[in-house]
C-alpha cells in the first residue's frame, strides 16, 4: 500500500453492455459523484474492445491522474493493456457479471457512489499482473486467472452462441461442454525446468484467487508475491467432475487427489486446439508463455 495520491482529473471509460446493461446507469451515478467531489471527469465509451483500449491509452498519454473503468473484469482487462507498467493508477466502478477483481480487492459492489469515493480518496495498492506472450509474439496482461481447458472451451462455445443472453448463455455452454467432456493432453514447463505432461480437465494460472464470479480456482494466490499459482485438475469421469465443481466456490478442491498446485514465476503451457482466456476475455490460442510482471499495476483501493 502506498500513500494517497492527489486525484483531480480522471478518464472514465464505460462498457455500456457490461453487467447486462447495468454499466451505463452505474457510470452516470459514479460520474455525478466524482464531479460532486470536485474532480474533473473526461467520460468515454469505446465502440468495441479495440477502441476502448485506444481510448485508455490516449488518456494515459494525456496525463490523467487515473483511468477509471465502469464494468466488469473484461473491461478491467482492456484498461490493463493501457495502464500496465505505467505510473497511472486504475480505478474501478464494479458493474459487471463476475466482478472478481472487485471481490479480490474489497471494492464496493452495487454502490457506484461508494466506488467513486474510493477513486477520489486516491489510495493505491501496487500489485502484480500476469503477462501472456502468444506464439505470434503479441503480449497481453491480465489481473485474475488465466483459464485453459474445460473452462476455456466453455468460453469458446458461449462466444459462439447468440442466445440466450447473460449468465444463461454460459450455463448452456457449460452443459454442452460437459456432455462432450474428454481428457485434454497438456504439456507445461515451469520456470525451474520442470515439465508436466498429463491429461487434464483444466489448467489455471492465477495472479489472484478467483474467476467466473467467485470460483476460487487458485485459493492461495496473492497478487503481490511475485509468483503465479498454477492449479491442475486431472482428467476424471463426468460424475466425479459434477461432484467436484461445487468445491471450487469454497476453495476446498485443492485437497482432492485429482488436483495439484504449483507456484512459479513463469511457465509455458500447451494443449492442441485449446485457447486461453483471462479476466473473461479471449487471450490467444495455446501455446502461450506466462510470466509474472511484478508491481505492474497501481490500483485505487479502499
Amino acid at each position: 500500500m502506498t500513500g494517497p495520491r492527489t486525484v483531480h482529473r480522471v478518464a472514465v471509460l464505460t462498457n455500456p453492455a457490461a453487467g447486462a446493461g447495468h454499466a451505463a446507469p452505474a457510470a452516470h451515478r459514479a460520474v455525478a459523484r466524482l464531479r460532486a467531489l470536485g474532480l474533473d471527469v473526461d467520460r468515454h465509451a469505446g465502440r468495441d474492445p479495440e477502441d476502448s483500449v485506444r481510448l485508455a491509452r490516449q488518456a494515459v498519454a494525456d496525463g490523467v491522474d487515473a483511468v477509471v473503468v465502469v464494468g466488469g473484469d473484461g473491461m478491467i482487462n482492456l484498461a490493463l493493456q493501457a495502464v500496465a507498467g505505467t505510473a497511472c493508477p486504475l480505478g474501478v466502478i464494479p458493474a459487471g457479471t463476475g466482478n472478481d477483481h472487485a471481490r479480490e480487492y474489497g471494492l464496493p459492489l452495487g454502490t457506484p457512489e461508494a466506488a467513486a469515493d474510493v477513486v477520489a480518496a486516491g489510495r493505491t495498492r501496487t500489485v502484480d499482473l500476469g503477462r501472456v506472450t502468444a506464439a505470434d509474439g503479441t503480449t497481453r496482461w491480465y489481473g485474475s486467472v488465466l483459464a485453459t481447458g474445460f473452462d476455456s472451451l466453455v468460453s469458446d462455445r458461449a462466444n459462439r452462441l447468440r442466445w440466450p443472453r447473460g449468465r444463461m448463455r454460459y450455463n448452456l455452454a457449460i452443459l454442452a461442454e460437459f456432455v462432450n467432456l474428454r481428457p485434454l493432453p497438456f504439456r507445461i514447463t515451469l520456470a525451474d525446468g520442470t515439465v508436466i505432461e498429463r491429461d487434464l480437465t483444466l489448467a489455471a494460472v492465477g495472479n489472484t484467487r478467483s474467476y467466473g464470479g467467485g470460483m476460487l480456482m487458485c485459493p492461495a494466490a496473492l497478487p503481490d508475491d511475485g509468483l503465479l499459482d498454477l492449479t491442475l485438475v486431472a482428467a476424471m469421469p463426468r460424475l466425479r467432475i459434477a461432484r467436484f465443481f461445487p468445491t471450487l466456490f469454497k476453495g476446498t478442491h485443492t485437497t482432492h487427489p485429482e488436483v495439484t498446485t504449483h507456484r512459479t514465476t513463469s511457465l509455458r503451457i500447451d494443449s492442441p486446439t485449446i485457447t486461453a482466456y483471462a479476466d473473461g476475455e479471449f487471450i490467444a490460442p495455446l501455446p502461450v508463455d506466462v510470466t509474472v510482471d511484478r508491481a505492474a499495476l497501481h490500483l485505487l483501493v479502499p
Side-chain angles (χ1 to χ4, degrees):
M1 193 78 69
T2 61
R5 301 184 179 208
T6 299
V7 178
H8 176 67
R9 181 180 168 223
V10 300
V12 174
L13 191 60
T14 308
N15 173 9
H22 296 150
H28 179 77
R29 291 169 58 181
V31 167
R33 179 69 168 184
L34 291 169
R35 286 175 175 161
L37 293 170
L39 275 67
D40 183 4
V41 179
D42 301 327
R43 188 169 177 179
H44 307 280
R47 296 183 300 272
D48 51 42
E50 292 76 17
D51 192 44
S52 294
V53 173
R54 181 190 66 79
L55 290 168
R57 286 177 173 155
Q58 186 60 56
V60 172
D62 288 346
V64 296
D65 296 319
V67 171
V68 180
V69 295
V70 185
D73 296 306
M75 194 65 187
I76 291 171
N77 185 269
L78 297 178
L80 291 179
Q81 312 317 310
V83 301
T86 76
C88 183
L90 176 67
V92 178
I93 311 296
T97 303
N99 294 318
D100 285 287
H101 285 89
R103 288 188 177 89
E104 179 69 33
Y105 297 109
L107 301 174
L109 292 169
T111 310
E113 291 82 2
D117 289 345
V118 171
V119 171
R123 187 177 298 107
T124 61
R125 179 179 175 185
T126 302
V127 298
D128 305 333
L129 294 174
R131 184 175 64 206
V132 184
T133 303
D136 64 2
T138 58
T139 61
R140 186 163 181 148
W141 285 270
Y142 73 94
S144 59
V145 179
L146 182 88
T148 65
F150 176 78
D151 38 11
S152 65
L153 288 169
V154 168
S155 294
D156 284 338
R157 183 175 291 272
N159 288 338
R160 294 194 299 269
L161 295 175
R162 293 295 172 260
W163 181 92
R165 301 279 304 235
R167 175 64 69 178
M168 283 304 300
R169 182 173 61 179
Y170 282 90
N171 292 343
L172 183 61
I174 289 171
L175 180 61
E177 287 303 323
F178 186 74
V179 170
N180 294 317
L181 185 67
R182 66 191 189 279
L184 302 171
F186 273 82
R187 178 182 172 88
I188 301 168
T189 306
L190 307 183
D192 64 2
T194 298
V195 177
I196 302 165
E197 288 191 89
R198 295 177 59 192
D199 283 353
L200 300 173
T201 298
L202 62 85
V205 187
N207 179 55
T208 59
R209 295 175 297 168
S210 74
Y211 67 170
M215 287 193 291
L216 293 165
M217 180 58 75
C218 301
L222 297 171
D224 55 5
D225 64 354
L227 294 169
L228 298 167
D229 280 41
L230 173 64
T231 299
L232 306 178
V233 179
M236 61 180 99
R238 288 188 185 89
L239 182 57
R240 195 177 302 172
I241 285 283
R243 293 172 177 170
F244 169 84
F245 267 96
T247 66
L248 294 174
F249 289 94
K250 300 178 182 178
T252 58
H253 59 288
T254 55
T255 64
H256 288 234
E258 295 89 355
V259 177
T260 55
T261 61
H262 305 266
R263 281 184 166 162
T264 182
T265 55
S266 65
L267 60 92
R268 181 176 180 84
I269 186 166
D270 192 14
S271 183
T273 73
I274 298 299
T275 55
Y277 283 75
D279 304 334
E281 294 292 294
F282 172 81
I283 300 297
L286 300 186
V288 297
D289 293 295
V290 189
T291 60
V292 64
D293 202 342
R294 295 215 66 177
L297 174 65
H298 304 289
L299 184 68
L300 291 163
V301 296

